[in-house]
């Protein structure tokens, strides 16, 4: 599918909050009639972090979600680059998925 917008969501250690964040983002962009995909970057450095599992669950619910989840090899910039590589939209937006940028 061709998307107008790719929203790269940096989800590091967001865990269950990502459910609320994704739902809100889905509603707002859908109500604005934007053809979009979400790229959830759920890179992790601990097996105790449930973010990758939760992100994959969301991808089963929403057909416009792609998940990238790898063992971290860097900091935020590394996560961002991995999300940008997965984005397919004509335009790209990047946002933190832990609620700090509301």
């Amino acid at each position: 599918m061709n998307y107008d917008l790719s929203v790269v969501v940096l989800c590091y250690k967001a865990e269950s909050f990502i459910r609320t964040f994704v739902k809100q983002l889905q509603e707002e962009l859908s109500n604005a009639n934007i053809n979009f995909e979400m790229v959830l970057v759920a890179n992790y450095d601990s097996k105790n972090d449930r973010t990758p599992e939760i992100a994959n669950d969301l991808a089963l619910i929403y057909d416009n979600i792609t998940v990238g989840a790898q063992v971290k090899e860097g900091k935020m910039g590394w996560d961002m680059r991995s999300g940008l590589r997965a984005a397919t939209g004509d335009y790209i937006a990047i946002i933190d998925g832990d609620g700090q940028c509301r």
Side-chain angles (χ1 to χ4, degrees):
M1 172 148 205
N2 295 328
Y3 293 103
D4 297 327
L5 176 66
S6 293
V7 180
V8 176
V9 183
L10 305 176
C11 302
Y12 180 62
K13 292 189 177 180
E15 293 202 332
S16 62
F17 181 78
I18 198 66
R19 286 187 184 104
T20 302
F21 188 81
V22 164
K23 182 180 179 197
Q24 180 180 359
L25 197 54
Q26 285 279 350
E27 288 174 1
E28 295 205 16
L29 292 174
S30 293
N31 289 341
N33 292 317
I34 296 173
N35 176 27
F36 69 99
E37 70 173 338
M38 265 192 243
V39 179
L40 303 182
V41 181
N43 295 339
Y44 58 94
D45 58 10
S46 166
K47 291 188 181 209
N48 295 330
D49 185 0
R50 295 183 46 238
T51 305
E53 173 189 340
I54 294 166
N56 284 317
D57 289 346
L58 289 166
L60 294 174
I61 296 168
Y62 300 102
D63 62 356
N64 65 336
I65 289 182
T66 302
V67 176
Q70 305 173 46
V71 174
K72 285 181 73 67
E73 295 180 23
K75 303 286 183 186
M76 182 180 162
W78 184 81
D79 289 346
M80 190 180 306
R81 285 192 307 275
S82 65
L84 291 173
R85 279 191 297 274
T88 64
D90 294 334
Y91 298 93
I92 299 173
I94 301 166
I95 191 164
D96 288 317
D98 60 5
Q100 69 179 340
C101 298
R102 291 189 197 193

